[in-house]
Amino acid sequence: MEVCAGSAYLVARHKDMIQLLKKAKSQRLDIGSDIGLVVCNDDTVFEILDKGITAISIDFREMGRLASEFVMTREKIQEYIPTSFIFRGSL
């Protein structure tokens, strides 16, 4: 994986994010200054990792609520779950 200063990266898998962070560190690139990073699906650890990792994520609590509603009622649910952009220091 090539990591270039002045670029921003959108990473779908957390495993790929770790590889990108390791590569940036080995090249002495600063996350949030030299490169930008956005990951899909927020995780609480992203709040404290480095300067904070920016994320695009759905509301998993709402997804769980809807899933449990389906289990209880067996009625099909077709609903849009809002997506949020959680801005942190990596961008």
Side-chain angles (χ1 to χ4, degrees):
M1 173 189 314
E2 185 73 25
V3 179
C4 300
S7 297
Y9 297 89
L10 174 62
V11 180
R13 297 183 326 169
H14 294 179
K15 180 179 179 180
D16 294 334
M17 177 199 67
I18 293 166
Q19 292 300 321
L20 187 133
L21 290 171
K22 289 167 76 174
K23 185 71 171 179
K25 185 177 180 178
S26 75
Q27 291 179 232
R28 298 175 192 237
L29 296 173
D30 186 50
I31 307 299
S33 298
D34 298 323
I35 66 168
L37 175 60
V38 179
V39 298
C40 297
N41 300 324
D42 193 34
D43 194 318
T44 53
V45 74
F46 295 164
E47 294 176 35
I48 60 169
L49 193 60
D50 205 63
K51 298 173 198 159
I53 305 297
T54 300
I56 298 172
S57 191
I58 62 167
D59 184 345
F60 287 104
R61 181 170 287 154
E62 178 65 8
M63 183 190 294
R65 186 190 71 73
L66 291 171
S68 67
E69 184 179 314
F70 169 73
V71 169
M72 299 297 283
T73 65
R74 295 291 186 209
E75 290 183 33
K76 291 183 181 178
I77 300 170
Q78 188 171 6
E79 189 170 320
Y80 172 77
I81 299 175
T83 302
S84 58
F85 184 83
I86 303 147
F87 184 79
R88 297 190 181 109
S90 70
L91 193 61

